[in-house]
Amino acid sequence: NKELKLLNSQIEQSRAILKSKNAAWYPNITLNSNKFPAYTTGTDSNNLNSDTSSKQLSIGINTNFEWGIIKPERRLEIKIAAEELENSQLSYESRIKELYLEVLRIYHRIQASNEEIKVAKKSIDISQLSLEEAKNKLIAGIGNKLEVLEAQTQLERAQINLVQKQGDLKKNENSLANLLNLPAEINIKKEDVKNIRYLWPHSKDDSLVAAFKNRLDLKIKEKNISLNEKKGLSVLSKKKPNLNLFNQLSLSSSRGETNVNNPNFDNTKESLLNTTGINFSWNLFDGGLIKQNYLSIKEKDKELMEEFLLNKSTIKNNLFDSLINLDIAKDNIIFSFNQLNSAEETLKISLKRMEAGLTTQREIVNIQGDVSEAEKNFINSITEYNISLAELERISFLKKIDICQTSQKEISNQNEDFYFFIVKNNFNSSCED
């Protein structure tokens, strides 16, 4: 994923900044020269004294050594850089989990689209059969043109639905390919959408406590508050004195003379100067610059705390919504399954009644619509159930349980009825694989 590559680059940037701050513990050594070499010529005319002239070739080099003995902001800057690196790493991990949830959402919708395409094709088969029956009855003189038109309309409606579902599948596959930064043409293994294998065993309170404890985005917000406090202390440290140990070494050599009556170019001169000491600096007055910068950072604390509380509120709301959606999905799975069974049984009876000439084509068309709606509701309910489970795992960092690896005694009361429904209707058939 492209976004993860960007976040990984930010981690490396933060790591380099931390190393640069750690470098403040080491001494600085610089080498410089403004005579490397330098050739000086010239004359100086004087009305009261003799004129002088200069002719000299010189070379010189300076070495400066400086080591900060006392630098109050140094430790704070290193701690700030270290926490910013941790934040970058947490952001990377958090985004991975967000992307994983997005992938799961699209993946489940792809599986739902595959199943809906199967349903749409089955609806086309039934519609074609109904159309043939209507045409045969018209030819035999026991039907009418209206029934043929109704059957034709239903067939076209089913074909339009198939085209729509195939388009939805392609769009979902494109979204997944884009998210994973893969080639546009990808193949997703088809799975049995009607298989239900997982349950959410955790209570609302346990899920919320785990979310507040484990969420990486909350840890980032907490670190931001800590970082801001350290930045404030770093600003205040600029009012404290600094002490530096230094050593300056100057070495020079020259040939020739300057400012003499008759410069002798053969005259040579060498010099060596070494100075060691401690320099001192203390900001006694700055017009209130440091104070106002500190007050600005302290005011930022309020903003960061409100962001933290807002994030907690959002997490709580998302968690409760996902739990509600999970309960809705469980109920909808049961109701839509019963709806589907009733609609399919009604369709079978109506088809037999149509063969016997006891019902109209309009009734078949209506019942076909009921079956398609029930199939769609059932598939969507299971899809939303699986998506809600994925969302709860992402929000709380807790794990769902596998029905295949859990005994009946371990099923909580909140899942007992749903568990028996799954087992009774063999929706856990994958456990046999």
Side-chain angles (χ1 to χ4, degrees), residues 3-250:
E3 190 174 347
L4 289 180
K5 293 180 181 179
L6 294 176
L7 291 173
N8 189 60
S9 175
Q10 292 176 7
I11 291 175
E12 295 305 318
Q13 293 172 44
S14 298
R15 184 174 284 114
I17 291 173
L18 175 59
K19 290 180 180 179
S20 73
K21 297 300 180 182
N22 279 319
W25 286 106
Y26 298 94
N28 292 325
I29 301 176
T30 59
L31 191 65
N32 62 77
S33 173
N34 58 2
K35 296 180 179 181
F36 198 66
Y39 184 63
T40 305
T41 60
T43 59
D44 188 7
S45 300
N46 195 320
N47 291 331
L48 299 179
N49 295 313
S50 301
D51 295 341
T52 62
S53 61
S54 300
K55 184 178 182 181
Q56 185 182 61
L57 176 67
S58 58
I59 185 170
I61 193 168
N62 299 320
T63 303
N64 296 317
F65 172 92
E66 189 170 8
W67 195 353
I69 302 173
I70 298 176
K71 193 175 182 181
E73 72 269 20
R74 180 169 49 196
R75 289 181 181 275
L76 288 168
E77 288 179 349
I78 292 173
K79 289 180 180 180
I80 289 170
E83 289 195 15
E84 286 178 339
L85 173 59
E86 291 177 13
N87 262 6
S88 297
Q89 293 169 332
L90 288 174
S91 296
Y92 182 85
E93 295 174 18
S94 179
R95 188 56 188 145
I96 284 180
K97 296 182 183 301
E98 289 291 344
L99 288 171
Y100 183 66
L101 176 58
E102 290 180 36
V103 168
L104 284 180
R105 284 194 184 111
I106 299 174
Y107 177 80
H108 286 307
R109 291 191 174 113
I110 286 175
Q111 297 298 340
S113 294
N114 284 324
E115 189 67 23
E116 288 178 341
I117 287 173
K118 286 170 57 178
V119 172
K121 288 179 178 178
K122 183 171 68 174
S123 179
I124 288 176
D125 292 339
I126 296 174
S127 297
Q128 287 174 336
L129 178 63
S130 297
L131 179 59
E132 289 298 324
E133 288 285 341
K135 287 180 178 179
N136 291 336
K137 288 170 66 176
L138 179 62
I139 293 172
I142 57 175
N144 56 64
K145 184 66 174 179
L146 180 60
E147 290 184 341
V148 174
L149 292 174
E150 289 175 345
Q152 183 67 44
T153 300
Q154 174 59 27
L155 175 60
E156 291 170 353
R157 186 182 294 117
Q159 290 171 334
I160 291 173
N161 183 53
L162 175 61
V163 171
Q164 181 64 47
K165 299 306 177 185
Q166 290 172 334
D168 291 342
L169 174 61
K170 290 180 181 178
K171 286 190 286 186
N172 285 327
E173 288 176 341
N174 288 339
S175 296
L176 185 59
N178 181 63
L179 194 62
L180 300 178
N181 194 27
L182 295 174
E185 296 295 330
I186 60 174
N187 294 317
I188 305 298
K189 180 182 177 181
K190 296 180 181 179
E191 295 187 0
D192 183 7
V193 176
K194 298 178 181 178
N195 178 65
I196 302 174
R197 185 160 181 168
Y198 299 98
L199 296 172
W200 188 252
H202 312 287
S203 68
K204 179 191 292 187
D205 291 340
D206 290 341
S207 300
L208 185 60
V209 169
F212 287 162
K213 179 182 178 182
N214 299 319
R215 282 291 294 247
L216 298 180
D217 46 349
L218 281 182
K219 292 181 180 179
I220 292 173
K221 297 294 184 184
E222 288 178 330
K223 282 188 174 295
N224 285 340
I225 295 173
S226 173
L227 273 168
N228 199 63
E229 291 175 353
K230 289 181 175 63
K231 288 178 180 178
L233 294 175
S234 179
V235 169
L236 287 180
S237 67
K238 296 183 184 300
K239 293 189 71 68
K240 296 180 180 180
N242 289 265
L243 287 178
N244 294 302
L245 175 66
F246 72 91
N247 186 88
Q248 295 177 342
L249 175 66
S250 298

Side-chain angles (χ1 to χ4, degrees), residues 196 199 403-404 406-408 411 415-429 431-432:
I196 302 174
L199 296 172
I403 294 176
C404 304
T406 306
S407 66
Q408 181 178 333
I411 302 298
N415 288 310
E416 189 174 7
D417 293 340
F418 190 61
Y419 172 77
F420 286 131
F421 169 80
I422 292 172
V423 174
K424 177 183 177 181
N425 294 286
N426 199 32
F427 290 138
N428 60 334
S429 57
C431 296
E432 301 170 1

Side-chain angles (χ1 to χ4, degrees), residues 246-267:
F246 72 91
N247 186 88
Q248 295 177 342
L249 175 66
S250 298
L251 177 65
S252 65
S253 175
S254 63
R255 181 180 180 183
E257 297 175 318
T258 59
N259 298 321
V260 297
N261 291 331
N262 188 18
N264 183 1
F265 194 68
D266 293 328
N267 186 20

